[in-house]
Structure formats: structure tokens, C-alpha cells
Amino acid sequence: MLTPRYFFTDDFSRFYEYFCSQPHRKRAVTKGEYLWEPERPFEKVHYILSGIAHNYLEHENGHRKIISFHSRGTVFPGYHQQNFKIEGALITKAISDMQVLEFSKAEFGIMFENNLQLSAAVVEWYSSYVNLLLYEAAHQEYNHSFIKLCNLLFLFTQNVSEGQALTIQLTQDEIADILAVNRVNLARHFARLRNEHIIATHRKRIEIVDLPALADYCSEETLPC
């Protein structure tokens, strides 16, 4: 049974050759650049060749809530025909230099209608995204901030390739923006995990030293069956 994920990658890798054969533009996105202009509904669909972008909600009071990360082999922001008001508050920014294949909504719509395997993959991708949002709604509401942190760290370890060190490329400020928790409380929770030798913190990255001990603190909906 699948678990929620914040980091999306390789969902559409099998369509790379197909995407290249269809009308598109290859675009370089520099670190810090928006994939589309803020306060506007999206008009382009991107297949990510390299690099990472994060998607976040910026509230009018200045608070930021990071929703998800998107990297190589995935499509973002997905495909639908309607323009939703909330899209004007959603921002997608490159956090590293990126290369993407860019399609207009009309171009992607033709592929969606003509390629049944692609349309099924889009539905599956949206299912994963809805699962993340439902998970967020549940665990943000009911879990203590310490458990939220443990859940998040555990989920990000699931993106690490087998045989690689369990290192998460996130800063504490980014984690605070994902979890929407107080930075003072978050620092205290990190100190607890360090003192229990579950994690080691470095500049802009977190190393998981004892994954089973971290899993013991996670809520049931986070752990794989």
C-alpha cells in the first residue's frame, strides 16, 4: 500500500520519448525563477528533465506553506481544463537550475485525449497528490508537532535510493514552511532527535542515523504496511 509523498519524481519517465516527439519547447529555468508567473492560473505544463522545483502557497499575511517538491521525470502542474481561483496563490519556483519540456495546455490536452496510457498516468498522479493533501489535512489537525516532524523526515527517506546514505536536502526553515509550525518549537524537536542520536544535522541537510527509532515516533498513516 502506497504512503504519502512530498517529493514527486519519475511518475512519467516512460513517456519521455513520446513527449519529445510531440510539439513542445525546451526551456532552461534558472534557480529562483518561477515556472509560471505568480497570481496567474497556470497556462503551461512542464515535463521536468532535471533540477527541482517546489510548490508553495503564499498567504496574504506573509506566511508560506510548502506543499510539494517536483523533480526529474515528473509532470507539473498536471493537466486540467478549468482555472481555479486558488491557483493564483500557488507559486512554483526552481530551487536549482532546471531543464524542462514545456507544453501549452492545448498541446498537452491533445496528448491526454489521444494517449490512453498517458491519461491514466495523469489520473494516477492526481490520485497521489490528493492522497498527500488528505494526509496533510489529517496529520496537521491531529498530531503533535514533534510527530509531524518525525512523519515528514520518515517520508523523505522513502525518496532515497537503496544503498545511499539517508540524507535529506532540506533546511530547518523549509521544514517549518512545510509543516506550518513554530520555528522555536521545531528547533526544540530537532534537538530532541539529535540528543537521542536519531538524526545529525548539517548545513542545509539532515542525516537520519537511526531510521527504526525514527519510525517508532511516526503515526500509523505514515508507515508502509
Side-chain angles (χ1 to χ4, degrees):
M1 188 174 295
L2 297 177
T3 55
R5 54 184 173 137
Y6 291 86
F7 196 99
F8 290 82
T9 186
D10 284 329
D11 307 275
F12 293 86
S13 293
R14 64 189 183 277
F15 298 103
Y16 170 71
E17 297 292 344
Y18 175 68
F19 287 150
C20 288
S21 73
Q22 301 300 304
H24 68 273
R25 288 150 300 285
K26 191 170 184 180
R27 175 184 168 194
V29 185
T30 58
K31 180 179 179 180
E33 184 180 353
Y34 300 113
L35 266 68
W36 68 91
E37 290 301 314
E39 301 182 2
R40 293 181 57 86
F42 75 87
E43 298 173 346
K44 306 293 184 182
V45 180
H46 307 91
Y47 174 78
I48 301 175
L49 299 171
S50 63
I52 303 173
H54 66 177
N55 180 242
Y56 61 92
L57 181 68
E58 199 158 79
H59 195 268
E60 58 191 24
N61 64 11
H63 288 113
R64 174 182 295 186
K65 171 70 172 81
I66 294 177
I67 301 170
S68 54
F69 297 80
H70 303 268
S71 188
R72 177 182 55 82
T74 199
V75 167
F76 196 72
Y79 169 72
H80 59 265
Q81 295 181 341
Q82 301 297 322
N83 290 329
F84 297 98
K85 185 176 181 180
I86 189 64
E87 291 175 3
L90 292 172
I91 298 173
T92 303
K93 181 183 289 188
I95 59 176
S96 69
D97 290 342
M98 301 178 68
Q99 294 282 336
V100 304
L101 303 182
E102 188 175 77
F103 304 89
S104 69
K105 289 177 71 171
E107 290 167 341
F108 201 91
I110 292 172
M111 292 189 293
F112 181 85
E113 293 175 3
N114 292 341
N115 189 317
L116 293 179
Q117 290 183 328
L118 176 61
S119 57
V122 170
V123 171
E124 287 300 315
W125 184 89
Y126 270 115
S127 297
S128 296
Y129 213 66
V130 169
N131 180 54
L132 169 62
L133 299 179
L134 290 173
Y135 170 82
E136 277 275 292
H139 105 121
Q140 290 284 2
E141 179 70 21
Y142 298 114
N143 287 333
H144 183 275
S145 57
F146 177 73
I147 296 177
K148 294 177 187 178
L149 172 61
C150 294
N151 285 343
L152 180 72
L153 295 177
F154 183 87
L155 288 175
F156 267 95
T157 67
Q158 306 308 292
N159 298 309
V160 177
S161 300
E162 186 175 352
Q164 291 185 333
L166 292 178
T167 301
I168 301 167
Q169 304 292 333
L170 288 173
T171 67
Q172 292 190 30
D173 281 346
E174 287 172 329
I175 289 176
D177 285 340
I178 295 171
L179 297 177
V181 299
N182 181 282
R183 282 164 168 73
V184 174
N185 289 338
L186 189 67
R188 186 166 63 248
H189 299 329
F190 268 107
R192 174 179 173 181
L193 291 173
R194 281 194 300 268
N195 292 337
E196 295 182 20
H197 305 291
I198 294 174
I199 67 169
T201 54
H202 310 277
R203 187 174 183 271
K204 294 187 177 182
R205 63 187 176 90
I206 301 157
E207 179 185 358
I208 308 300
V209 178
D210 191 339
L211 185 60
L214 178 66
D216 285 342
Y217 282 128
C218 292
S219 54
E220 288 186 5
E221 71 272 13
T222 302
L223 301 174
C225 296

